[in-house]
Amino acid sequence: MILKSILSRTQKLDPVRTVYEAIVAQARRSELYSELGVPDTLDGRFDMIILHNDAVMCHMQAGADQDRQFAQALIDELFRDMDRSLREMGVGDMGVGKRVKKMATVYYGRANAYANARSKGNDELTAALVRNVFEGDDTATQAAGRLARYSELLHDAVGLIDRADIRSGKLKLGSVRL
């Protein structure tokens, strides 16, 4: 019986992991890279995870204690996954901690920059995206503007999802289009 449950493909996933996987799946949408010119690099993909995770974090942190606890568990899952990914890429034990710490600094720095920029409007968010996602390339302003609009739509869509649904692992982002 135990072996059957271990090998079962229908085994229920942890809701935090399920939500995190939905965020990553949305962040890996090929249109973000092909149509908006987001660099298809480790940094570019991490930037997209930050952008998508931030939308969920903002919504959950605005809720009750259980929502904020879920948000904390979600950020913990993100960094566990980063740790796992670095190890799979061959980074040694000594280097993983330093790199995860740097990734945390980047994550929180960008999440704060995007929140501040969102409060000031689309032009400010576009400028923040040019600086961060497009590494200061001013020729990417149009693409960054489209990414800023997508980010707004993403935040709006996540804001409509019941927090209890998110806590139970239900996060559907596929309807958010570029």
Side-chain angles (χ1 to χ4, degrees):
M1 187 69 147
I2 293 173
L3 185 57
K4 183 177 180 180
S5 69
I6 291 172
L7 298 176
S8 173
R9 291 180 187 212
T10 60
Q11 198 172 0
K12 187 171 181 161
L13 288 176
D14 170 36
V16 172
R17 183 69 188 174
T18 302
V19 168
Y20 176 71
E21 288 176 355
I23 289 166
V24 171
Q26 189 73 7
R28 288 183 176 166
R29 288 185 49 214
S30 63
E31 304 95 295
L32 295 168
Y33 307 93
S34 63
E35 293 179 27
L36 297 185
V38 171
D40 193 3
T41 61
L42 288 174
D43 288 342
R45 287 177 178 259
F46 186 55
D47 280 322
M48 291 302 93
I49 291 172
I50 293 169
L51 195 76
H52 289 82
N53 197 71
D54 182 54
V56 177
M57 294 294 290
C58 288
H59 182 53
M60 297 306 283
Q61 289 174 333
D65 283 343
Q66 59 193 359
D67 302 317
R68 289 189 294 276
Q69 289 170 4
F70 186 90
Q72 182 59 54
L74 185 59
I75 199 74
D76 292 345
E77 181 62 30
L78 183 147
F79 287 107
R80 268 192 304 276
D81 189 52
M82 296 300 113
D83 182 285
R84 251 188 323 268
S85 294
L86 288 169
R87 290 176 192 282
E88 286 176 5
M89 292 183 331
V91 176
D93 287 342
M94 298 298 286
V96 169
K98 290 177 189 175
R99 288 200 184 178
V100 170
K101 185 176 180 179
K102 183 179 178 184
M103 292 170 97
T105 300
V106 168
Y107 177 92
Y108 287 113
R110 290 193 178 163
N112 287 331
Y114 299 154
N116 290 334
R118 271 194 314 277
S119 72
K120 295 175 184 173
N122 192 282
D123 289 344
E124 288 295 320
L125 182 55
T126 298
L129 292 168
V130 166
R131 275 191 313 277
N132 293 304
V133 175
F134 298 97
E135 300 174 345
D137 180 0
D138 290 332
T139 64
T141 301
Q142 184 177 5
R146 289 184 63 211
L147 186 58
R149 179 68 185 133
Y150 170 80
S151 177
E152 290 173 1
L153 294 171
L154 180 65
H155 276 264
D156 291 346
V158 171
L160 295 174
I161 301 171
D162 188 284
R163 289 181 185 96
D165 286 343
I166 294 173
R167 285 193 322 272
S168 70
K170 298 175 188 157
L171 180 67
K172 303 279 189 259
L173 299 175
S175 63
V176 181
R177 297 286 174 220
L178 304 179

